[in-house]
Amino acid sequence: EPEVTQTPSHQVTQMGQEVILRCVPISNHLYFYWYRQILGQKVEFLVSFYNNEISEKSEIFDDQFSVERPDGSNFTLKIRSTKLEDSAMYFCAGNRQGPRETQYFGPGTRLLVL
Amino acid sequence: GESVGLHLPTLSVQEGDNSIINCAYSNSASDYFIWYKQESGKGPQFIIDIRSNMDKRQGQRVTVLLNKTVKHLSLQIAATQPGDSAVYFCAENFGIQGAQKLVFGQGTRLTINP
């Protein structure tokens, strides 16, 4: 059964550094998403991406965040200048039909900003 | 400083008993709902979904009930097993074609006692 994969599984970085989180969605998926989960809290939507552009983004997804799908395979989330409060689990998700279809999540990347 | 996570509602049941997890959703216009299971250190895993034109949907050992009048969702797990121990999140789907996101509830931690 195909799965969403994410790399790295863990990332430790210094405040102010750039990080890139990578995701390989399921091959026939067309809609892609990033979510984050601060330790002990609920999962929060960051951004949705379809047809090579952002469909919707939350207030969390400010100018420090960007997403791209450069090669039709990887889907990346970049944080340009990390802050302490960016420490969280970051989940990639995807689906084929978009709205009103379940999203399939990857295992997550645990980001720790020191 | 140290961040404090939100306190999750908890439910403990004996192995073999049935469990019911409840969720209140926020948007009366939401028309698609999903239950996810999250084990420690992993991404949300799809359990079951329901659309707003239904009141009940059954899967293997799981049933979801939707009460649109009071904006309430429940997940029933029959004959619980140790592997059912996890945090369970309900999620509602917001949005229109190409611009949609999942909004997650707070989560309930289910513990199955042997």
Side-chain angles (χ1 to χ4, degrees):
Chain A
E1 187 173 323
E3 293 181 337
V4 178
T5 59
Q6 290 185 242
T7 54
S9 58
H10 295 77
Q11 173 109 34
V12 181
T13 190
Q14 295 292 321
M15 189 170 56
Q17 295 297 303
E18 174 183 287
V19 295
I20 298 176
L21 310 182
R22 291 183 168 80
C23 169
V24 179
I26 295 171
S27 60
N28 66 351
H29 284 180
L30 300 174
Y31 295 80
F32 310 103
Y33 314 85
W34 282 100
Y35 292 81
R36 80 171 186 189
Q37 186 179 32
I38 295 171
L39 184 63
Q41 298 190 20
K42 63 182 178 180
V43 178
E44 300 175 287
F45 170 79
L46 291 178
V47 66
S48 59
F49 190 84
Y50 170 70
N51 199 27
N52 275 323
E53 59 184 29
I54 291 174
S55 304
E56 185 171 352
K57 57 185 181 179
S58 72
E59 61 274 11
I60 302 168
F61 194 90
D62 61 21
D63 291 346
Q64 294 301 312
F65 290 84
S66 63
V67 290
E68 64 176 1
R69 194 162 182 252
D71 56 9
S73 175
N74 294 287
F75 178 49
T76 62
L77 174 69
K78 181 192 290 185
I79 309 175
R80 290 188 185 83
S81 180
T82 50
K83 302 186 285 289
L84 296 176
E85 55 265 37
D86 293 329
S87 296
M89 282 287 286
Y90 287 81
F91 295 106
C92 170
N95 60 13
R96 179 160 178 78
Q97 297 178 9
R100 304 174 196 83
E101 182 192 44
T102 194
Q103 296 175 21
Y104 294 90
F105 284 75
T109 293
R110 182 173 296 282
L111 176 66
L112 179 60
V113 182
L114 302 177
Chain B
E2 181 179 283
S3 64
V4 178
L6 296 173
H7 177 67
L8 282 179
T10 59
L11 176 65
S12 292
V13 299
Q14 290 297 120
E15 183 179 351
D17 287 353
N18 300 332
S19 67
I20 300 176
I21 299 171
N22 296 301
C23 175
Y25 64 92
S26 58
N27 186 355
S28 57
S30 293
D31 60 359
Y32 178 60
F33 306 88
I34 311 165
W35 278 101
Y36 284 96
K37 171 185 181 183
Q38 187 177 30
E39 296 174 286
S40 181
K42 297 184 179 180
Q45 178 187 357
F46 170 80
I47 302 174
I48 192 167
D49 58 2
I50 189 167
R51 302 188 190 284
S52 59
N53 60 351
M54 302 173 70
D55 298 322
K56 178 179 179 179
R57 190 163 189 227
Q58 288 184 291
Q60 187 178 11
R61 287 199 305 117
V62 294
T63 301
V64 55
L65 299 177
L66 175 63
N67 185 331
K68 295 181 286 294
T69 302
V70 295
K71 293 190 287 186
H72 183 268
L73 202 63
S74 68
L75 176 71
Q76 301 176 1
I77 305 174
T80 52
Q81 303 168 357
D84 294 332
S85 293
V87 177
Y88 290 82
F89 292 96
C90 66
E92 58 185 304
N93 178 259
F94 273 59
I96 59 175
Q97 179 72 26
Q100 51 97 35
K101 62 186 179 185
L102 291 177
V103 176
F104 283 77
Q106 287 297 111
T108 296
R109 183 178 301 282
L110 176 65
T111 301
I112 308 302
N113 300 313

